[in-house]
Amino acid sequence: AAVIEGLQRMLRKHSDRWSMTFVQNPNEVLQLLESVKHDAIVADMRMPEMSGAQVLNLVKQHHPGMVRFILSGSADNELVMQCV
């Protein structure tokens, strides 16, 4: 929750140019993407219920044209390779 709040504060200055949606639950993200078109997604590597890499892999399968970003404070090589 703190990461999302920080991103919202940081990106607020771009709200006149970008339409942004912030969601905490990975399952909510997948449901939202079925009903509302988005151009990009930013996922935190460590999320409840599934990892950011898992979320982005599902997004890739269902929305291959969407730009996908992973946010991670980790330097764990295994996690990095999951994202690659």
Side-chain angles (χ1 to χ4, degrees), residues 36-64:
V36 180
K37 183 187 180 305
H38 287 77
D39 296 316
I41 182 171
V42 179
D44 192 345
M45 189 56 172
R46 297 188 189 273
M47 296 190 305
E49 300 178 35
M50 67 177 81
S51 73
Q54 291 171 309
V55 171
L56 295 185
N57 279 329
L58 290 170
V59 169
K60 179 182 176 183
Q61 291 172 15
H62 297 282
H63 309 279

Side-chain angles (χ1 to χ4, degrees), residues 3-72:
V3 172
I4 290 176
E5 290 171 10
L7 284 172
Q8 284 179 303
R9 279 192 306 274
M10 183 180 71
L11 296 172
R12 187 173 295 134
K13 63 185 173 188
H14 299 290
S15 63
D16 60 330
R17 297 184 295 161
W18 299 337
S19 176
M20 296 173 272
T21 307
F22 295 87
V23 179
Q24 292 185 27
N25 182 307
N27 293 315
E28 286 180 51
V29 171
L30 300 173
Q31 291 174 354
L32 177 68
L33 294 179
E34 293 304 320
S35 60
V36 180
K37 183 187 180 305
H38 287 77
D39 296 316
I41 182 171
V42 179
D44 192 345
M45 189 56 172
R46 297 188 189 273
M47 296 190 305
E49 300 178 35
M50 67 177 81
S51 73
Q54 291 171 309
V55 171
L56 295 185
N57 279 329
L58 290 170
V59 169
K60 179 182 176 183
Q61 291 172 15
H62 297 282
H63 309 279
M66 186 178 296
V67 178
R68 298 172 305 277
F69 295 95
I70 193 76
L71 177 66
S72 176

